[in-house]
């Protein structure tokens, strides 16, 4: 680049800088621009707030109008549904020995469900959700292409001879109505729910074959350990003719599902609200959001399409389940479906995957239920179950101990071989002679490890089963008032990273036992062979880490690990 070109670029830069500096806005102009932008933002926020208010309460803009004007406006906005937009909210309660369900005439929906046999960790009645924590709506399109929502309309409760059944009727024109039919089954956690229209031709759009369902619910904290409970709170769903799947339980998540779904479940650690459809949910969109603090754990949001017969010859049938997550109870519900695929609600109980779940299904749970039939104290039940498991696994344990014993007997000979081949270049000869010695006396270096590895499926199966066994919930043993959560006999006000604000005694005993067992095992298994650098230290670090890992886990699990050790 020559001298003239450089001078030219410098002059152009000076001109641009000078132009920008001379034409910069004054402070007054900057302030005026800021006020203008703020006013625009305020107007947009006001519009957005008004739209949200209108969506939440479409009647807000009609409330202050004279009656004559109000009725005309309602008719033009909602057509045949205008008369249903005003009314007085009434409540109907259906209850049996197990559950109490409250229905509201506004929206004709379930607004509360309470399980009578359970309390939350505060000792209060266990309410799955109430009116402010749940939302259920069907979106309808009228013949005039107007969109209306059942959540905004008032239904009329119609009671029959059955005290545990009610029809919520949305009366439109003469002979035209939409029914929500509820029937709570006796001594059960199940409630039938049907949607049926009568005389809706000419009222709804003739293209109506499906309705859009929206279901939202906040999940309450029901257990003492919020962090531990939150691991098991999730949105689950069953794909028709396929398996049960779920959204992430550890982070915010959303998903669109095109396949037909058999049921959708909002699951807490020990309790769930499930909505099952006979005809299936299609075009489903899920959204799960976590609450970092407060009385709620997560918020679940579902939109889906459901089949609807405009001619009224067929109802759209559902079943609500307001259930404790008890494996045997949920599995029994498979029998209620005789003409379709099994519900498989037992998948709401997390028993692990693959072989761990099989061990729980076919060994641990049957043994647990058998012992529970004649042992009332679950602490002693776990103790006896641990003894039985140890006895069943004794042949493998015995093999492991015998292998370790043989290795100790051969230790002097191993030392002789090590002394015979001290040089690194003789490593292959040393290994060959060592293996020949093992072969001569029928010893396998892995003989002590393989039996222990075979026991791992049982160890891991119990890791999944015990924390999720609702039978342990609010059952006391020794100093632990509730075996389903941590036994915080020592606690403090501040929060220590990883440890929390308490110390579980069963967890501490379990960790101390592990340290002692590690010391004993390493001493007994010392065969004179060199170990990997740092292996000995790692063997001691892990039991200490258990204090931080399991301190927030259920005392029942820590108790099992303690007595097992």
């Amino acid at each position: 680049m020559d001298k003239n070109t450089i001078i030219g670029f410098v002059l152009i830069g000076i001109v641009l800088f000078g132009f920008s500096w001379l034409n910069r806005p004054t402070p007054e102009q900057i302030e005026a621009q800021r006020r203008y932008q703020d006013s625009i933002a305020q107007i947009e926020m006001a519009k957005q707030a008004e739209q949200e208010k209108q969506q939440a309460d479409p009647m807000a803009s009609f409330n202050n109008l004279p009656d004559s004007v109000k009725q005309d406006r309602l008719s033009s906005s909602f057509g045949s549904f205008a008369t249903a937009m005003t009314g007085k909210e009434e409540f109907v309660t259906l209850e049996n020995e197990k559950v109490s369900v409250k229905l509201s005439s506004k929206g004709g929906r379930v607004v509360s469900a309470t399980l009578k046999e359970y309390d939350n960790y505060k000792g209060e009645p266990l309410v799955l959700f109430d009116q402010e924590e749940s939302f259920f709506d069907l979106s309808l399109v009228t013949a005039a292409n107007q969109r209306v929502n059942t959540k905004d309309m008032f239904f009329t409760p119609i009671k029959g001879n059955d005290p545990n059944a009610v029809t919520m009727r949305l009366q439109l024109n003469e002979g035209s109505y939409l029914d929500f039919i509820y029937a709570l089954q006796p001594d059960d956690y199940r409630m039938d729910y049907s949607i049926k229209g009568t005389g809706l031709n000419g009222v709804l759009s003739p293209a109506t074959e499906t309705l859009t369902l929206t279901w939202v619910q906040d999940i309450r904290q029901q257990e003492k350990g919020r962090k531990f409970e939150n691991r098991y709170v999730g949105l689950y769903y069953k794909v028709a003719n396929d398996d049960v799947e779920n959204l992430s339980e550890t982070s915010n998540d959303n998903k669109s599902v095109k396949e037909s779904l058999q049921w959708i479940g909002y699951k807490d650690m020990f309790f769930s609200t499930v909505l099952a459809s006979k005809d299936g949910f299609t075009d489903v969109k899920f959204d799960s959001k976590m609450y970092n603090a407060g009385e709620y754990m997560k918020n679940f949001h579902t939109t889906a399409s459901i089949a609807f017969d405009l001619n009224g010859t067929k109802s759209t049938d559902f079943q609500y389940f307001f259930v404790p997550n008890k494996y045997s109870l949920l599995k029994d519900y498979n029998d209620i479906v005789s003409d379709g695929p099994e519900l498989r609600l037992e998948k709401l109980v997390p028993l692990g995957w693959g072989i761990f779940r099989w061990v729980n299904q076919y060994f641990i749970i049957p043994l647990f239920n058998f012992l529970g039939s004649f042992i009332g104290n679950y602490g002693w039940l776990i103790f006896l179950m641990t003894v039985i498991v140890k006895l069943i696994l004794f042949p493998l344990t015995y093999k492991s101990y015998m292998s370790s014993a043989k290795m100790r007997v051969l230790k002097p000979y191993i030392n002789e071989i090590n002394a015979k081949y001290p040089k690194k270049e003789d490593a292959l000869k040393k290994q060959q002679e060592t293996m020949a010695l093992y072969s001569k006396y029928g010893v396998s270096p892995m003989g002590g490890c393989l039996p222990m590895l075979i026991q791992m499926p049982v160890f891991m199966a119990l890791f999944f089963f015990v924390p999720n066994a609702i039978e342990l919930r609010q059952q006391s043993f020794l100093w632990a008032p509730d075996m389903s959560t941590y036994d915080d006999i020592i606690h403090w006000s501040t929060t220590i990273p990883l440890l929390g604000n308490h110390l579980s005694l069963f967890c501490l005993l379990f960790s101390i036992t592990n340290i002692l067992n590690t010391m004993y095992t390493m001493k007994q298994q010392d065969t004179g062979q060199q170990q990997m650098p740092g292996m000995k230290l790692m063997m001691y670090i892990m039991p200490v880490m258990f204090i931080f890992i399991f301190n927030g886990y259920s005392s029942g699990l820590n108790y099992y690990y303690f007595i097992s050790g």
Side-chain angles (χ1 to χ4, degrees), residues 128-236:
L128 293 178
F129 58 88
D130 65 17
Q131 190 167 2
E132 302 302 320
E133 302 161 355
S134 65
F135 174 91
F136 190 92
D137 176 54
L138 294 178
S139 182
L140 312 174
V141 179
T142 69
N145 205 33
Q146 299 160 316
R147 187 171 294 276
V148 295
N149 298 88
T150 58
K151 69 179 178 63
D152 303 317
M153 294 181 279
F154 290 87
F155 291 63
T156 301
I158 301 174
K159 296 281 289 184
N161 295 326
D162 186 352
N164 278 337
V166 65
T167 297
M168 289 289 186
R169 176 163 294 176
L170 182 65
Q171 187 70 50
L172 305 173
N173 303 324
E174 184 68 28
S176 299
Y177 51 85
L178 179 68
D179 285 343
F180 290 176
I181 305 163
Y182 298 93
L184 184 64
Q185 300 301 311
D187 195 31
D188 200 353
Y189 299 100
R190 177 168 48 100
M191 183 174 72
D192 295 330
Y193 168 45
S194 298
I195 301 171
K196 192 173 190 298
T198 301
L200 296 182
N201 276 310
V203 177
L204 294 181
S205 168
T208 299
E209 294 181 349
T210 61
L211 302 178
T212 300
L213 174 152
T214 303
W215 179 26
V216 184
Q217 186 177 317
D218 285 326
I219 306 300
R220 289 186 172 195
Q221 179 183 349
Q222 306 285 7
E223 314 305 324
K224 183 174 71 172
R226 177 187 176 88
K227 183 178 179 181
F228 185 64
E229 179 184 2
N230 200 40
R231 300 175 185 179
Y232 300 97
V233 180
L235 195 161
Y236 283 60

Side-chain angles (χ1 to χ4, degrees), residues 380-421:
W380 290 114
L381 186 152
I382 291 177
F383 176 82
L384 183 57
M385 186 172 73
T386 306
V387 173
I388 293 173
V389 169
K390 286 290 185 181
L391 289 174
I392 293 174
L393 297 176
F394 177 74
L396 295 175
T397 307
Y398 178 75
K399 279 189 175 183
S400 177
Y401 288 152
M402 287 300 296
S403 178
S404 297
K406 290 179 180 179
M407 293 288 286
R408 290 197 301 273
V409 171
L410 294 178
K411 180 180 177 181
Y413 301 98
I414 299 294
N415 291 339
E416 290 179 6
I417 295 173
N418 291 335
K420 183 178 178 181
Y421 300 104

Side-chain angles (χ1 to χ4, degrees), residues 400-401 404 408 448 452 513-527 531 539-540 565:
S400 177
Y401 288 152
S404 297
R408 290 197 301 273
M452 298 303 293
T513 305
N514 263 273
I515 293 172
L516 296 175
N517 274 335
T518 299
M519 293 172 61
Y520 175 79
T521 302
M522 292 184 68
K523 183 179 178 181
Q524 293 297 311
Q525 293 183 350
D526 183 8
T527 61
Q531 293 183 333
M539 295 295 290
Y540 286 110

